[in-house]
């Protein structure tokens, strides 16, 4: 897993906000919509990252689990998001 990956649901407003933020920064991302198996994908992500994950979006940058939209927004406001994306 490298680059930006976002696990989303089509009804999630925070997923939409995360995608808009990345687009506004001209950052490409790969979206994984988990509507078809929300519970199964949350369980799989929890196992991958060793913590209980039950919400979307879940954002991974360069193989590192960042968290949800508020985590990415905080990185952006602190000037660290582009650095995490190797775009500085």
């Amino acid at each position: 897993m490298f680059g930006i990956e976002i696990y989303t649901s089509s009804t999630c407003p925070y997923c939409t906000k995360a995608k808009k933020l990345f687009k506004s920064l001209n950052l490409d991302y790969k979206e994984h919509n988990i509507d078809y198996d929300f519970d199964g994908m949350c369980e799989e992500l929890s196992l991958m990252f060793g913590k209980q994950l039950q919400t979307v979006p879940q954002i991974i940058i360069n193989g590192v689990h960042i968290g949800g939209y508020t985590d990415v927004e905080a990185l952006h406001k602190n000037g660290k998001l582009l650095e995490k994306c190797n775009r500085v």
Side-chain angles (χ1 to χ4, degrees):
M1 287 186 281
F2 290 97
I4 300 169
E5 296 188 71
I6 308 174
Y7 289 82
T8 66
S9 172
S10 60
T11 59
C12 170
Y14 289 101
C15 296
T16 301
K17 287 181 177 187
K19 294 185 286 184
K20 282 183 181 181
L21 175 61
F22 288 125
K23 285 179 185 176
S24 75
L25 297 171
N26 293 317
L27 294 171
D28 294 329
Y29 59 86
K30 182 174 183 176
E31 181 177 5
H32 304 278
N33 183 291
I34 64 172
D35 285 341
Y36 65 93
D37 185 15
F38 186 85
D39 292 335
M41 287 303 296
C42 285
E43 184 176 329
E44 185 176 319
L45 289 169
S46 294
L47 291 172
M48 285 172 57
F49 296 107
K51 51 183 132 177
Q52 190 66 29
L53 304 172
Q54 297 179 335
T55 61
V56 287
Q58 291 299 322
I59 300 166
I60 295 105
I61 299 176
N62 293 325
V64 177
H65 180 253
I66 301 302
Y69 172 71
T70 55
D71 301 301
V72 168
E73 181 184 42
L75 284 174
H76 177 58
K77 286 181 178 179
N78 292 329
K80 301 284 186 186
L81 180 58
L82 293 177
E83 182 180 313
K84 289 248 185 238
C85 296
N86 299 321
R87 298 289 299 270
V88 179

